[in-house]
Amino acid sequence: VMDEPLSYADVVRSRLRDATPMPSLPTVVETLHLTTRTLQRRLDEEGTSFSALLAEVRRERALELMRRSGMDNAAIAWSLGFEDASAFSRAFKSWTGLSPRQHRDRLRD
């Protein structure tokens, strides 16, 4: 049986997971040799978007970094491609309902 070809969403997820700091949309389209519009169209056909994939991978990596590293919020924010720690904190709270500090406190208990 032939393997399914990778979807554009899978390729974008892989690019986001493999780079630190996480790349922006212009960087991703450049490495894929596509235009922004073409990538947006392809992802749209697959029922997703760059921003949805970015949020998904950032959330997954944030939880992993908080669990497995001693990194502070500023370092995690940088590695996930956020402007600053407060932008990371707002995003984290929107994903989990908890602030990064509340999440860390729960991990310790």
Side-chain angles (χ1 to χ4, degrees):
V1 178
M2 295 275 294
D3 283 347
E4 287 279 313
L6 282 176
S7 68
Y8 281 90
D10 290 335
V11 171
V12 170
R13 270 188 203 97
S14 167
R15 296 290 163 113
L16 293 172
R17 285 184 183 125
D18 293 346
T20 302
M22 232 175 244
S24 62
L25 176 59
T27 304
V28 171
V29 295
E30 188 179 312
T31 63
L32 297 177
H33 307 290
L34 297 171
T35 65
T36 299
R37 185 70 198 108
T38 298
L39 181 62
Q40 288 169 330
R41 236 187 350 264
R42 299 272 158 62
L43 293 174
D44 195 44
E45 289 163 8
E46 295 175 12
T48 191
S49 67
F50 182 81
S51 58
L53 296 170
L54 181 62
E56 172 192 319
V57 176
R58 278 177 162 174
R59 177 181 185 275
E60 150 194 306
R61 241 168 97 183
L63 292 167
E64 182 183 332
L65 289 170
M66 292 180 93
R67 194 173 54 246
R68 297 183 42 211
S69 81
M71 292 166 72
D72 64 16
N73 288 348
I76 292 174
W78 176 84
S79 76
L80 299 178
F82 282 98
E83 292 286 312
D84 54 43
S86 62
F88 164 64
S89 292
R90 284 191 302 278
F92 191 86
K93 187 155 189 161
S94 77
W95 301 327
T96 65
L98 299 171
S99 71
R101 173 173 289 150
Q102 291 168 321
H103 182 75
R104 285 180 199 275
D105 290 345
R106 287 208 178 160
L107 289 175
R108 270 187 227 107
D109 293 344

